Amino acid sequence: MSINSIRTLLEDSAVSHPSKTAIVFNEKSISYEDLLKKVNQVAFYLKELDLPKGSRIGLYSNKGIDQVIAILSILSTDYILVPLTRLLKPEQVQYIINDCDIKCIITDRLKLESIEEIDFNGHIISYETAHKDIPSFEEIYKYYNKPFKHDVNGHENAVITYSFGITGQPKGIVISHRNLIDSARVVSQYLELREEDVISGTLIFNLDYGLNQIFCSLYKRATLALHRFILAGDFYNHLINDKVTVVPLMPVNISNMFDEDEHRLPSSDLLSNVRVLTSSGGNVTVKMLKGLDKLFPDAKFYSMHGLTEAFRSTYLDPSQIHIRPDSIGKAIPDVELYVINEEGKECKPREVGELIHRGGYIYRGFWNAPVETAQRFKSIQILKDVIDLEGQLTDEIVVATGDYVYKDEEGYFYFVSRHDNMIKTRGFRVSPYEIESVVANNLPQIEQCAIFSVPNEEIEEEIVMVYSSRSELAPKEITFELKKHLASYMIPSKIIYKKSLPLVPSDKNKINKEELKNELLEK
């Protein structure tokens, strides 16, 4: 058995901590010993399907203990897990099925109806018994009790994740078994996770940040407490009742935590178990940090920056979060980061360039997408003018991230924009992210803000700001505040108020700027 597989972690956990609670969800829980038993039963059934090695198995369901069992069962075979978030519409699920040729889908009773709308002729397995022709986990647990063994190779493909954006069709990123182990190891190290920790499983399991909750729990023999974030009050009950100590979040979760009236928020004493908070996937505002400080005064907050093509690049040490809250931090262990300009030269401090990721946690590439893979996964020769390659193997792969960043004099990195999102106006490159950050930090009455551009022959592109708030603000008031913090060429020429902003259907963390832009251009 490979030492670089989640399967090995699961087996070792069942031997060393058989009776310890592995997963808890509401009133249900399962020990490490019973978790391995159920994973073995489902994995045995999957192997009996006799699919070709490397076949893709989709997971399309709501959160629960059976969902984690399904994930670990697929990773115990030589099949590949393809998470299909429950937020996806049937046509998006259909796209992924076709793109990576999914042979089997594991689902729940609620999602069976959606699958019936899809053109899928492969195997379907449900958690609950729902139809006489569809096998279920309930039946598998009852009838499949034969021993299961499988030697997982750490270098084999384990997972393909898809993320639907605003435009275009997504490409699946291929992740190996070793990638999963490496990510659990490094996060457990710099977060200083412990065996006695209870890790909140609030994030959905469609991308690596969410899946990492499961793997870190296994790596440290900790307990994973699952939760579906719907209402802020229920989330706080989860933290209190499950005695959660580690809370991975996204900025949208942090915002939703403070949807409650202030007088209905719990006291910090009730949340004193929480010792670690993490966030990735977007900007954490000063307002969010103030709220977290009040609720979790003794917890360490880690702001992190990840990639599609590699598990993670940076984290900001908690001691720096109030000193430089806009920074994405420094490289995580085993990673080297460089900022280069268009000529391939290393950028000076505060000069914006592309972030290059070298070292650990680099994924395998994009599924069936050689052009996209070639754009991001580069030979180390891209750094020939930055580091000394003499005597080094020159077939090493690095990631040209497409992230525009700069580094300050102390070596801290700051995100500016994605390459594809940069606005070119009046001869300058402008980051929408930078303007949105200024709005978030200096205009607290604005609830949501989207910055994008529309064509303008005279200045190349014209900057537009669309925002939502409880009531409309005078454009001059907004412009006056922005001019205090931004260069004149960065000030939006159009400022538009809307009661609410449209979101990307498959990702409620993202404002649908494409829809806003189309609305404006059609007028």
Side-chain angles (χ1 to χ4, degrees):
M1 177 69 70
S2 171
I3 63 171
N4 292 312
S5 72
I6 299 300
R7 173 70 192 183
T8 300
L9 287 188
L10 178 60
E11 290 185 356
D12 291 349
S13 300
V15 171
S16 62
H17 296 69
S19 60
K20 183 176 182 182
T21 299
I23 310 170
V24 60
F25 182 49
N26 297 332
E27 305 302 317
K28 298 180 180 179
S29 65
I30 188 169
S31 68
Y32 273 105
E33 184 176 47
D34 287 340
L35 177 62
L36 176 61
K37 179 182 176 181
K38 290 184 181 296
V39 166
N40 283 346
Q41 288 174 299
V42 176
F44 188 94
Y45 180 85
L46 292 175
K47 289 297 291 181
E48 281 209 332
L49 296 178
D50 199 27
L51 302 174
K53 180 180 178 179
S55 290
R56 276 69 65 194
I57 298 185
L59 181 59
Y60 187 41
S61 70
N62 287 293
K63 186 169 289 183
I65 293 176
D66 280 333
Q67 188 186 38
V68 179
I69 290 170
I71 289 169
L72 297 176
S73 299
I74 298 168
L75 296 178
S76 295
T77 69
D78 53 17
Y79 303 142
I80 299 173
L81 165 68
V82 184
L84 303 165
T85 168
R86 61 183 179 79
L87 299 176
L88 293 179
K89 303 300 181 185
E91 60 267 25
Q92 294 172 315
V93 174
Q94 182 76 67
Y95 169 82
I96 295 175
I97 288 172
N98 296 340
D99 188 63
C100 67
D101 189 21
I102 287 176
K103 300 293 187 185
C104 172
I105 293 179
I106 299 175
T107 189
D108 56 31
R109 192 195 306 268
L110 292 174
K111 286 299 180 185
L112 270 175
E113 195 172 305
S114 297
I115 293 174
E116 289 173 359
E117 301 177 32
I118 297 169
D119 181 19
F120 179 66
N121 298 317
H123 299 274
I124 298 176
I125 305 170
S126 174
Y127 301 147
E128 310 91 351
T129 302
H131 191 284
K132 63 182 180 65
D133 295 328
I134 297 177
S136 69
F137 276 25
E138 290 176 344
E139 295 167 318
I140 291 169
Y141 296 153
K142 187 175 181 179
Y143 297 112
Y144 280 76
N145 293 297
K146 297 177 182 178
F148 174 80
K149 285 287 181 184
H150 181 73
D151 188 12
V152 175
N153 185 328
H155 293 285
E156 296 287 348
N157 298 335
V159 183
I160 303 175
T161 64
Y162 286 79
S163 178
F164 278 81
I166 297 172
T167 60
Q169 297 290 11
K171 297 298 178 186
I173 193 72
V174 182
I175 304 172
S176 72
H177 287 275
R178 175 159 187 168
N179 288 144
L180 302 180
I181 285 288
D182 284 347
S183 63
R185 173 177 59 83
V186 72
V187 170
S188 297
Q189 176 187 338
Y190 71 72
L191 293 185
E192 300 178 344
L193 300 183
R194 307 166 184 168
E195 183 180 309
E196 59 268 25
D197 275 325
V198 177
I199 299 175
S200 174
T202 297
L203 304 177
I204 58 178
F205 300 136
N206 65 315
L207 297 175
D208 51 7
Y209 184 29
L211 288 168
N212 188 251
Q213 300 163 103
I214 302 173
F215 308 143
C216 283
S217 299
L218 284 171
Y219 191 86
K220 298 303 294 187
R221 278 62 164 173
T223 296
L224 178 68
L226 300 177
H227 178 70
R228 300 174 189 164
F229 197 134
I230 300 174
L231 299 174
D234 291 340
F235 175 70
Y236 292 121
N237 289 336
H238 153 65
L239 298 183
I240 296 165
N241 296 337
D242 292 330
K243 298 180 172 60
V244 171
T245 61
V246 179
V247 189
L249 298 165
M250 296 186 74
V252 66
N253 303 131
I254 301 174
S255 293
N256 292 341
M257 285 169 60
F258 300 104
D259 281 349
E260 296 276 1
D261 292 334
E262 189 170 347
H263 71 276
R264 297 183 64 183
L265 296 176
S267 71
S268 60
D269 290 343
L270 293 173
L271 301 170
S272 59
N273 281 322
V274 176
R275 64 180 194 85
V276 173
L277 298 156
T278 71
S279 179
S280 185
N283 183 38
V284 177
T285 66
V286 172
K287 182 180 178 181
M288 293 179 193
L289 289 176
K290 286 181 179 177
L292 293 175
D293 283 345
K294 188 172 182 179
L295 285 177
F296 309 97
D298 299 321
K300 293 182 177 180
F301 180 81
Y302 292 79
S303 176
M304 306 180 297
H305 182 70
L307 305 174
T308 300
E309 303 84 5
F311 172 67
R312 190 158 294 153
S313 285
T314 69
Y315 78 92
L316 183 65
D317 188 272
S319 65
Q320 299 294 314
I321 192 66
H322 292 293
I323 298 172
R324 52 189 99 240
D326 295 333
S327 173
I328 59 173
K330 293 185 177 182
I332 68 172
D334 300 333
V335 167
E336 295 175 13
L337 297 175
Y338 301 93
V339 186
I340 65 173
N341 59 25
E342 293 180 355
E343 288 75 43
K345 307 292 185 182
E346 187 166 19
C347 291
K348 298 173 183 177
R350 301 193 180 273
E351 178 187 353
V352 175
E354 184 176 13
L355 182 70
I356 307 297
H357 175 118
R358 182 193 185 195
Y361 324 114
I362 294 176
Y363 293 150
R364 306 295 290 272
F366 291 99
W367 181 262
N368 272 346
V371 173
E372 287 82 357
T373 298
Q375 286 174 344
R376 292 283 176 251
F377 295 84
K378 302 286 189 180
S379 164
I380 196 170
Q381 288 294 322
I382 196 174
L383 293 174
K384 62 182 174 58
D385 293 330
V386 179
I387 60 177
D388 183 6
L389 294 178
E390 184 179 0
Q392 297 191 36
L393 297 175
T394 55
D395 62 349
E396 180 183 344
I397 297 297
V398 299
V399 174
T401 66
D403 286 346
Y404 274 68
V405 304
Y406 68 86
K407 187 165 61 171
D408 69 14
E409 292 79 4
E410 296 180 63
Y412 287 91
F413 291 89
Y414 295 78
F415 179 81
V416 176
S417 183
R418 287 290 297 171
H419 172 73
D420 298 338
N421 293 336
M422 294 292 275
I423 297 170
K424 194 170 182 184
T425 182
R426 305 178 194 276
F428 295 95
R429 287 190 178 274
V430 175
S431 162
Y433 176 87
E434 185 173 357
I435 302 173
E436 289 166 356
S437 296
V438 168
V439 172
N441 291 329
N442 298 282
L443 289 160
Q445 59 271 54
I446 290 180
E447 296 169 351
Q448 290 180 303
C449 170
I451 300 293
F452 55 91
S453 66
V454 293
N456 184 315
E457 291 182 0
E458 295 181 6
I459 57 173
E460 295 181 274
E461 293 179 279
E462 185 176 359
I463 301 174
V464 178
M465 171 181 167
V466 183
Y467 73 96
S468 67
S469 62
R470 291 189 176 181
S471 59
E472 185 173 1
L473 306 176
K476 287 184 178 179
E477 179 183 344
I478 296 172
T479 301
F480 178 78
E481 186 61 38
L482 294 182
K483 285 181 176 178
K484 294 180 184 178
H485 309 278
L486 297 171
S488 59
Y489 62 83
M490 301 176 72
I491 304 300
S493 58
K494 285 188 173 72
I495 297 177
I496 300 168
Y497 167 74
K498 291 176 72 72
K499 288 186 177 180
S500 62
L501 303 189
L503 302 177
V504 178
S506 61
D507 188 346
K508 299 303 181 183
N509 300 317
K510 293 181 180 178
I511 295 170
N512 195 332
K513 294 185 181 181
E514 199 67 23
E515 182 176 326
L516 292 172
K517 184 184 294 188
N518 290 337
E519 284 181 10
L520 187 60
L521 293 175
E522 288 171 3
K523 288 182 179 179

